[in-house]
Amino acid sequence: MLGYSLHRSQTGGHRNQVIGSFKQYYERIHSQVTSVEKEESFFDGIDTSIEGIFKITGETAPAGVPLLLNAIKKAIDDATAAFQPEDPTAMIPYLTKGLATTRAIIKVLNNKPEAFFILRIKERQFMDAINTVLGIDMQAIAMPLGSKESTNFYNAQPTMGFAVPMQPFKVRISVLNRSNVPIESTGIQLIKEANWKTDFSELKKTTLQMNEKLDQTFTVTVPNNVIFSKPYYHRASVQESQYQYDDKQNANLPNRRAALQAYVSYKVGHELVEIQKPVQVKQSNFPFGYDNYTLKVAPAIAVNIRPQIGIIPKTGQIKDFDVQVELINNQESAIQGQFRLNVPIGWQSQTSHLPFTFTKAGEKMNFSMKIHTAALEEKMYEIQAIATVNVKSYSQGYDLSSHRDLDQTIMYRPAVAMLKGIDVKIVPGLQIGYIMGVGDEVPIAIRQLGAGVQLLTGEYLSTGRLDHFDVIMIGTRAYAVRQDLNMYNLRLLEYAKNGGHLIVLFQTPEFIPALMAPYPAQLPANAEEVSEENSPVKILDVNHRVFNYPNKITIMDFDNWVEQRGSKFFSQWHNTYTPLISTHDVEQSPQSGGWLMTPYGKGHYTYFAYSFHRQLPYGVAGAYRIMANLLSYGKD
């Protein structure tokens, strides 16, 4: 439940801590127990002991192995009995004996892959126990080549972002023995991918007494042809229902194996004990101190372009489009180059080449550029952003997911914006107030239609003039994450009552329509959704103005949707609401609670639970046309 409380999506972050007894029910499908009707645990009838490994695997144990398995069990039992909180090293003789016995079995497990797999895990468990009992501390930290570590408590530690091809950096590996049992160090190494270059001074074998530390420093250079740190799987778009492997050797792992790992080995009780862990970097996170992340490899220059997918109204008189380009420098030393946009033939860019200069890693530059075309067709156009340093070109960017309790993940994408001409009209001069929700790119889409958008802060909701806006739209899940929205919801209802149009996109059960909407309705915790993006749609009132002005909306506007139709539909509603469309998944009854409109005083209120937040970022033409009609509703 603690892990669940750290979820970052689907309005996570809640923890339901149950005090006292709690029962969880399971359905029994099959049982290994035949002598009794009711088991006492999930494992009744299943031998989970170390001696029962070959019963689990179904393999035949080699001669003598059952006796050795019994010896492992005895070593574990003796180690447990010997544990003393004030001196856990009393367990060492038994742990090393168990480790030696485990290795003796592994040596004779020819053609026994399942047992071999389990006993290799047992071997690692013994080594982990020994490291824990001895209080072995191992650190492997990468840092810029010229940085210096400080032992002064008040001095800042050297920090580092990403490793960059052909830029040397250093790795400091240290191992500390906190116990009163001497250990004999047998090696400190870096495990690296092919073609990585490392320089270091050979260490002699040494014995570490209590609280003695051994350090080794490596100079590392990443090759030019390195694979950047990224997930080992991908999908080209949301239309693909599953991911494809880029590297099958990492299959079933949560992440790609680290490109650079530290390895330390030592002997205790005549047994070799190993520690292997990814090299890490320190990054400052004021005011929380330092965060440690696995060392990642990234390009010297990253190029991000926004939006990735956009539209230009084909019928508009002005065929301009604004793109934002962000350059990120990952190289520690100074770097300079030029940036340009490649546009389709016949298009014009604001400028051809722009110079840029960076002095240190982590710096960013942002460009806002206007592109123009005189003629536009209903098709996709590609705009590419390219940064050039000397003769090397950089044309990919990334999103960085970085949280204190998780490792960093880099999600790469080409520095390409796909622009689409769409036959869509909107009432000119509309001004929209938008209340941001979660994962929301809807305001960008509204601007692309030609309307003005102002994001409404909590301060504005409390005192700002709302009657300046033709429409106020409340973004996806906003009621779950915007306390200010809950505080000033009555002001928004008054805005609609006095002549405005309040549009609420899909919300989670934190939104209680009986209290927060003009008229009663129900949005239960198990609210219906329609998951199939190609589910059949029925327009319930083809003569309703919202389907006829300024765009004629037909069933074809629901073609080519992605991921889903919508979610969190009203289950019941007051008869003042008018349901506009109906749809359903296979074997689901028709759902009409996803798009409801009602007059309210001099204005209008709309609940729209269809997935604008998914369709608009992917340039779905019908979604833009429906959005344009909603924003234009009641206007001439």
Side-chain angles (χ1 to χ4, degrees), residues 422-465:
I422 290 182
D423 185 9
V424 59
K425 297 181 286 290
I426 190 170
V427 169
L430 292 178
Q431 295 299 315
I432 314 301
Y434 196 90
I435 301 171
M436 286 291 287
V438 178
D440 208 333
E441 297 182 41
V442 172
I444 297 173
I446 296 175
R447 290 189 182 100
Q448 291 172 8
L449 283 169
V453 181
Q454 179 178 337
L455 302 183
L456 303 186
T457 63
E459 181 179 0
Y460 195 96
L461 287 177
S462 67
T463 59
R465 286 194 59 180

Side-chain angles (χ1 to χ4, degrees), residues 366-562:
N366 289 278
F367 302 90
S368 182
M369 306 182 72
K370 190 178 292 294
I371 56 178
H372 173 79
T373 178
L376 190 69
E377 300 179 31
E378 287 189 62
K379 67 177 186 179
M380 298 296 287
Y381 297 87
E382 181 176 299
I383 312 297
Q384 185 180 35
I386 300 175
T388 304
V389 178
N390 296 326
V391 295
K392 186 173 180 59
S393 295
Y394 299 89
S395 58
Q396 64 175 334
Y398 56 70
D399 286 319
L400 176 64
S401 175
S402 183
H403 300 283
R404 296 183 67 214
D405 50 314
L406 301 171
D407 198 13
Q408 290 177 326
T409 299
I410 308 175
M411 303 295 291
Y412 286 93
R413 60 175 180 273
V416 170
M418 302 300 298
L419 302 186
K420 187 176 184 179
I422 290 182
D423 185 9
V424 59
K425 297 181 286 290
I426 190 170
V427 169
L430 292 178
Q431 295 299 315
I432 314 301
Y434 196 90
I435 301 171
M436 286 291 287
V438 178
D440 208 333
E441 297 182 41
V442 172
I444 297 173
I446 296 175
R447 290 189 182 100
Q448 291 172 8
L449 283 169
V453 181
Q454 179 178 337
L455 302 183
L456 303 186
T457 63
E459 181 179 0
Y460 195 96
L461 287 177
S462 67
T463 59
R465 286 194 59 180
L466 302 181
D467 59 359
H468 287 316
F469 302 108
D470 298 288
V471 175
I472 293 179
M473 182 173 285
I474 299 175
T476 298
R477 303 191 189 99
Y479 281 94
V481 297
R482 292 282 298 265
Q483 185 57 36
D484 55 345
L485 173 58
N486 289 275
M487 293 168 62
Y488 302 116
N489 187 69
L490 284 177
R491 286 201 77 213
L492 295 171
L493 292 178
E494 284 297 315
Y495 155 80
K497 195 172 185 179
N498 291 331
H501 185 185
L502 183 61
I503 301 175
V504 179
L505 302 186
F506 99 68
Q507 304 297 319
T508 45
E510 290 83 359
F511 173 60
I512 305 172
L515 302 176
M516 300 173 177
Y519 304 109
Q522 292 186 15
L523 181 66
N526 61 343
E528 290 283 2
E529 64 179 38
V530 178
S531 300
E532 295 295 334
E533 63 269 27
N534 58 353
S535 64
V537 173
K538 180 180 181 181
I539 296 178
L540 301 178
D541 183 2
V542 295
N543 296 317
H544 196 286
R545 180 180 172 86
V546 78
F547 293 121
N548 292 279
Y549 181 82
N551 304 284
K552 177 65 177 177
I553 304 299
T554 69
I555 295 299
M556 289 187 295
D557 287 298
F558 295 92
D559 291 344
N560 303 313
W561 281 43
V562 297

Side-chain angles (χ1 to χ4, degrees), residues 64-94:
V65 164
L67 291 177
L68 293 176
L69 289 173
N70 287 328
I72 293 176
K73 180 181 184 304
K74 185 175 187 309
I76 294 172
D77 291 342
D78 290 344
T80 305
F83 173 70
Q84 302 173 33
E86 68 277 10
D87 183 18
T89 60
M91 303 169 69
I92 287 295
Y94 308 107

Side-chain angles (χ1 to χ4, degrees), residues 8 75 224 243 265-266 292 375 377 398 439 486 497 509 573 616:
R8 300 306 202 277
N224 249 330
Y243 288 89
S265 61
Y266 64 89
N292 283 16
E377 300 179 31
Y398 56 70
N486 289 275
K497 195 172 185 179
W573 50 89
L616 300 176

